Amino acid sequence: MIFNGSPRKKGNTVTLVAEFTRALREAGTEFEVINLNQLNINPCQFCNWCVNNNALSCVQKDDMNDIYPKLLDAERIVLATPIFWFNVSAQLKLFIDRLYALHGDKGYAFTKKKFANILVYGDTNPDSSGVNNAIGSLNDMIKYMNSEIIGTVHARYETWSNLPEAV
Ligand SMILES: Cc1cc2nc3c(=O)[nH]c(=O)nc-3n(C[C@H](O)[C@H](O)[C@H](O)COP(=O)(O)O)c2cc1C
C-alpha cells in the first residue's frame, strides 16, 4: 500500500512514487496507490469509540473506513509526502492521526509491518528543509505501531522554474 500525501498530480512526490511503482511492477509485486488528497478524511475527534469498542475502525463514516482493512492486510506500507512547513503534508497528517483507530484491546493492531518513506522538499539544504523533522515524526510513529522502517528516500526538486503545474 502506497499513500501519497501530495496534492499535486504531477508533482515531485508523484514522480518518485511512479519510479517506485515502476520497480514494483517490474518485480511483479502487487500494489495499490492511494492519493490521500482525493479522499474525504476527517480529523480524529479523540472520542475513543475505536478503543472502547476494540473496533479497529472509526465511528466517523468517511474514506478511512475502506482503508483500515487494507492497512491490516498490507505487508508493506509506503508513506510519500512533500515537506510542507517543515514536516509532513496536512493530507498525510490527517491520515496518520486516524491510525489511532487501530488500537485494539491488546495494544496496537500491527505486528511488525514494514514501512518505507518517500519525502521531497524545495530547500537546497536538507538540514533547513524540515525533512529531518518529518523523518523523526515518521520514525517515532512507526516504532509506536510495533513496526519498522526498511527504507527512506528524500530528494529535492532541482529546477524551481520547471515545476509541473498544480492541478
Ligand atoms: C505550503 C507549502 C509549504 C512548503 N514548505 C516547505 C518547507 O518547509 N521546506 C521545504 O524545503 N520545502 C517546502 N515546500 C516546497 C515543497 O516541499 C516542494 O516544492 C515539493 O517538491 C512539493 O511536492 P510536490 O511536487 O509533490 O507537490 C513547501 C511548499 C508548499 C506549497
Side-chain angles (χ1 to χ4, degrees):
M1 294 294 306
I2 301 167
F3 294 93
N4 168 29
S6 171
R8 294 203 302 173
K9 286 185 185 157
K10 291 181 180 170
N12 304 316
T13 312
V14 164
T15 301
L16 287 189
V17 166
E19 199 51 33
F20 189 78
T21 55
R22 187 179 61 77
L24 292 179
R25 220 173 269 117
E26 279 171 16
T29 306
E30 217 180 299
F31 65 87
E32 181 178 355
V33 178
I34 295 197
N35 294 307
L36 295 170
N37 193 58
Q38 290 164 9
L39 302 185
N40 173 29
I41 300 179
N42 298 319
C44 173
Q45 302 298 307
F46 199 4
C47 67
N48 248 14
W49 179 91
C50 52
V51 174
N52 293 338
N53 292 285
N54 191 27
L56 303 186
S57 65
C58 181
V59 71
Q60 301 191 71
K61 297 294 167 235
D62 64 10
D63 289 332
M64 276 306 288
N65 290 94
D66 295 334
I67 291 177
Y68 291 125
K70 292 182 181 195
L71 278 167
L72 292 168
D73 274 359
E75 262 177 54
R76 294 174 188 186
I77 298 167
V78 176
L79 304 177
T81 184
I83 299 302
F84 280 1
W85 285 99
F86 312 100
N87 218 307
V88 300
S89 69
Q91 288 84 346
L92 185 64
K93 186 57 166 60
L94 278 177
F95 164 79
I96 289 171
D97 284 3
R98 294 288 298 283
L99 297 180
Y100 182 79
L102 296 181
H103 278 101
D105 54 5
K106 294 180 189 68
Y108 204 79
F110 288 176
T111 44
K112 288 268 168 232
K113 291 264 187 217
K114 293 189 188 325
F115 278 77
N117 304 318
I118 295 174
L119 307 103
V120 303
Y121 43 90
D123 199 321
T124 50
N125 180 358
D127 288 340
S128 50
S129 71
V131 72
N132 294 327
N133 300 333
I135 290 172
S137 301
L138 294 173
N139 278 344
D140 289 346
M141 165 208 152
I142 290 163
K143 194 170 153 200
Y144 178 81
M145 295 192 299
N146 309 319
S147 297
E148 60 174 324
I149 296 176
I150 56 171
T152 295
V153 65
H154 63 87
R156 174 187 173 264
Y157 192 74
E158 282 300 325
T159 320
W160 277 101
S161 59
N162 215 8
L163 278 177
E165 292 212 348
V167 287

